[in-house]
Amino acid sequence: READVSGEVPLDIASLEFYAESTSSVLLQQALKILGVEDAETSELARHIGIAYALVGLLRSAKIHFMQGKVFF
């Protein structure tokens, strides 16, 4: 979760998606490995779910981030 503490703000959609993938997607993919699920299709699904989860989290916390001077969109 290094991307969470770096302080850098994604400046475009590609950077925002990379941030989401680097945080939530990686955690979901690691959880699947721990559970013994390692097929490519499930890993790709976890990647998409992780990105969606991170983006929803950013939307939910938009007010707090705005007050801290972080604008993601």
Side-chain angles (χ1 to χ4, degrees), residues 8-64:
E8 294 180 28
V9 177
L11 300 176
D12 56 24
I13 295 296
S15 298
L16 184 60
E17 186 174 334
F18 179 77
Y19 165 81
E21 186 173 0
S22 299
T23 55
S24 296
S25 292
V26 172
L27 291 175
L28 287 176
Q29 290 170 333
Q30 291 301 316
L32 287 174
K33 285 183 182 180
I34 290 169
L35 294 171
V37 181
E38 296 191 34
D39 65 278
E41 186 176 325
T42 305
S43 180
E44 182 66 11
L45 182 61
R47 185 179 83 79
H48 289 290
I49 291 170
I51 291 170
Y53 183 79
L55 295 178
V56 168
L58 287 172
L59 288 172
R60 289 181 62 207
S61 62
K63 181 178 178 180
I64 293 168

